[in-house]
Amino acid sequence: MKFGGTSMGSPESLRTVAEICGGERSRRPTVVTVSAMSKVTDMLLETMYRAERGDAEGMEENLRRIAARHEDACVAIIPEDRLDETREQLAALLSRFEQIARGMMMLRERPPRALDEALSIGEMLSATMLVQFLEAQGQRATLVPGYEVIVTDPVHGNATPRMELTSFKCREMLLPALLDGHLPVVTGFCGASEQGAVTTLGRGGSDFTATILAAALDAQEVWIWTDVDGIMSADPRMVPDARVLPEITYNEAAELAYNGAKVLHPRTLLPLAPKGIPLWSKNTFNPKYPGTRIVAHSDEKHGARAVTSSSNVVLVNVEPASAAVNPSLLMARCLEAMARVNAEVLTFSSSSYRQSFCFLVRRTELAEAMRSVESVLALELNHGYIRPIEANDDVGLLAVVGEGMKGEPGLAGRIFTAISREHVNIIAISQGSSELTIAIVVRREDVDKAVKAVHAECGMATA
Ligand code: ADP
Ligand code: ASP
Ligand code: MG
């Protein structure tokens, strides 16, 4: 079971989390993984930005705020006889974070390796409190840092697990504890490279931690606890009549996650597919509600099921300036450059005559992606065989998802018509050969209108 930032975010919700953990542990062996308290990862990041900029006052203020946030939660839930011990543990973690931030201030830079180690502390803080609270309630809980059980490649900020090694470590460390009646609480979001450097799995990565652990341990099920009733037909903050989908397939969930549905980290489904382990998305604040079941195959097939969007994307345009360049090779090398830094290509479209192509990347991955693409194509760029690579960030992505869309004649037409009725211009379109997703790029300011129009046109609010 994984508990997200809001679930770990307040004393009241921590009590609910502990109750859910205890209940499940009494039924069957359970491993828990947790996020940092909500907004803490953002605060850690901001502290390090401030340190890098030399803003000593800003850094100190943030250090105080982070400490106070945990102190307040601690005082509210940890009984008197454990308070000193818990405080000591939290203080040691905070002091390590402070040490790293001060180092950054001195260097005026944020080395990726140090950044990852510092970020992993957010989850260590929340897990420490949960373990203390569970123990105070008579559970035998054990804190396990994610970097002791998850082995990854050395790509800081967006690491990929090495599953065989991870499986070995998980079995070695977690199975004996489970058999012994313990409740391991693994810190989410982080792993470590084979060389032992702490890595992180990308923002929102604790979802991924849960499924990595589940696959490594051959779990029966994974439950991801968050702050909504499950996977919905659209982001409920954008579309008020979005409905909870009782069951969706891995493919549908993965498409939604890749295309911006924040409810799941993009790579959450990857470890589960080979093993067919079902995933439930559930609400910590409404635990009786069954939530959404995500499975390999589903008989529920109704056209377009959900629409998601992301404004955190940038459209990268590559345009040859000379007939001497082989466009297919150019595309291949661009994609390879993206793969080198684990940057995802969200949509890709090309024009056959001008041989130009564009692809969409996440804003968070843009800097690395551009560096990598420009270094791979340095020769062509320097000789003017291709035009300077442009990145347009005034765009947003919309993705309409549903296994049942396959072969439904006229659906794409209806979707485009609904969007154009709102006077929204479509910049790029792509539809994979699986016909599972139609991805549409529009101007950023039009995303909201387009999402609402598609949700209504496809009748997503009703089953
Ligand atoms: P956690 O901290 O538990 O990981 P997140 O904030 O990362 O939670 O994800 C949950 C949020 O995702 C919800 O509050 C909701 O606003 C948003 N969201 C976006 N798209 C969807 C969707 N299709 N279904 C459900 N929630 C969604
Ligand atoms: N705390 C991390 C983040 O905010 C990981 C997570 O919440 O899943 O990105
Ligand atoms: Mg999340």
Side-chain angles (χ1 to χ4, degrees):
M1 301 198 299
K2 173 258 175 177
F3 295 91
T6 9
S7 309
M8 300 297 290
S10 70
E12 302 74 49
S13 61
L14 277 163
R15 285 200 181 92
T16 313
V17 167
E19 206 173 295
I20 295 172
C21 289
E24 235 1 78
R25 185 63 190 96
S26 66
R27 278 185 276 280
R28 54 182 163 170
T30 305
V31 176
V32 168
T33 183
V34 296
S35 290
M37 295 181 89
S38 52
K39 305 274 176 3
V40 164
T41 306
D42 289 338
M43 283 162 76
L44 297 172
L45 264 176
E46 201 195 52
T47 312
M48 291 186 279
Y49 277 123
R50 290 181 177 184
E52 184 189 28
R53 285 203 311 265
D55 173 4
E57 224 171 88
M59 183 187 82
E60 302 293 344
E61 186 198 320
N62 262 24
L63 289 172
R64 277 194 298 275
R65 280 172 53 210
I66 296 166
R69 177 91 190 274
H70 291 89
E71 166 69 16
D72 290 350
C74 215
V75 170
I77 59 167
I78 307 292
E80 200 56 45
D81 60 334
R82 286 180 169 268
L83 207 47
D84 285 345
E85 189 191 17
T86 313
R87 278 185 174 136
E88 254 169 52
Q89 291 170 343
L90 296 179
L93 292 166
L94 290 165
S95 135
R96 176 67 188 147
F97 177 73
E98 188 174 330
Q99 210 177 17
I100 299 174
R102 289 196 191 287
M104 289 175 173
M105 168 97 78
M106 199 166 70
L107 295 171
R108 292 292 160 92
E109 88 170 88
R110 292 174 302 138
R113 179 180 170 157
L115 191 74
D116 272 357
E117 188 195 330
L119 286 179
S120 73
I121 292 173
E123 272 66 15
M124 288 292 288
L125 291 165
S126 62
T128 298
M129 288 195 304
L130 180 64
V131 165
Q132 282 286 357
F133 185 51
L134 284 165
E135 283 187 330
Q137 298 200 317
Q139 291 282 341
R140 287 193 296 153
T142 319
L143 189 146
V144 182
Y147 47 77
E148 284 184 7
V149 284
I150 294 179
V151 185
T152 72
D153 65 11
V155 179
H156 287 287
N158 203 13
T160 299
R162 301 243 149 104
M163 280 312 288
E164 242 173 71
L165 289 169
T166 300
S167 204
F168 180 79
K169 283 210 166 194
C170 282
R171 284 165 188 276
E172 192 182 52
M173 288 195 60
L174 300 176
L175 284 184
L178 282 174
L179 290 174
D180 209 24
H182 279 252
L183 177 65
V185 178
V186 181
T187 67
F189 187 40
C190 64
S193 67
E194 277 176 74
Q195 293 71 33
V198 176
T199 53
T200 56
L201 304 167
R203 291 305 306 272
S206 305
D207 296 330
F208 197 21
T209 303
T211 57
I212 294 169
L213 295 176
L217 294 168
D218 276 317
Q220 276 179 333
E221 293 184 344
V222 190
W223 293 7
I224 290 188
W225 294 89
T226 183
D227 58 1
V228 285
D229 279 341
I231 313 289
M232 305 178 73
S233 54
D235 185 342
R237 286 173 301 190
M238 196 180 271
V239 183
D241 65 346
R243 103 187 153 97
V244 179
L245 302 166
E247 187 174 272
I248 59 173
T249 64
Y250 288 148
N251 285 335
E252 288 171 329
E255 289 286 343
L256 287 173
Y258 264 91
N259 291 300
K262 191 183 170 225
V263 65
L264 291 177
H265 175 279
R267 292 187 281 165
T268 308
L269 281 308
L270 286 179
L272 301 184
K275 304 216 168 184
I277 302 170
L279 167 70
W280 287 86
S281 167
K282 294 168 87 73
N283 190 350
T284 304
F285 306 94
N286 186 14
K288 294 236 154 54
Y289 193 86
T292 300
R293 185 164 184 257
I294 306 172
V295 289
H297 302 285
S298 169
D299 292 330
E300 280 201 32
K301 290 243 162 62
H302 345 249
R305 307 204 63 199
V307 53
T308 181
S309 68
S310 173
S311 294
N312 265 327
V313 291
V314 181
L315 193 64
V316 179
N317 281 299
V318 182
E319 197 167 336
S322 150
V325 251
N326 176 330
S328 305
L329 204 56
L330 199 60
M331 288 181 205
R333 291 172 58 209
C334 253
L335 295 177
E336 197 207 321
M338 297 287 289
R340 269 191 204 174
V341 289
N342 286 351
E344 233 108 43
V345 175
L346 298 174
T347 69
F348 189 99
S349 75
S350 67
S351 99
S352 54
Y353 168 59
R354 291 180 63 198
Q355 304 289 11
S356 64
F357 56 92
C358 61
F359 53 90
L360 206 65
V361 292
R362 293 193 184 90
R363 188 188 298 270
T364 48
E365 296 175 357
L366 179 73
E368 280 288 307
M370 284 295 268
R371 248 196 302 279
S372 181
V373 169
E374 284 175 344
S375 111
V376 163
L377 301 180
L379 211 59
E380 286 81 353
L381 282 164
N382 284 335
H383 289 286
Y385 288 155
I386 53 178
R387 295 190 200 288
I389 298 171
E390 282 174 10
N392 175 4
D393 69 354
D394 179 31
V395 295
L397 169 73
L398 212 76
V400 192
V401 176
E403 302 249 22
M405 297 198 309
K406 197 177 170 94
E408 190 177 316
L411 182 66
R414 269 174 49 213
I415 289 171
F416 300 146
T417 308
I419 293 175
S420 60
R421 234 184 272 128
E422 300 296 320
H423 306 289
V424 170
N425 181 37
I426 294 176
I427 299 170
I429 299 170
S430 86
Q431 181 175 27
S433 53
S434 65
E435 293 183 47
L436 183 65
T437 301
I438 299 176
I440 301 164
V441 180
V442 297
R443 298 244 332 256
R444 168 133 5 115
E445 63 183 26
D446 291 335
V447 168
D448 194 82
K449 270 191 281 185
V451 165
K452 290 188 173 101
V454 171
H455 196 265
E457 174 64 36
C458 298
M460 288 174 182
T462 50

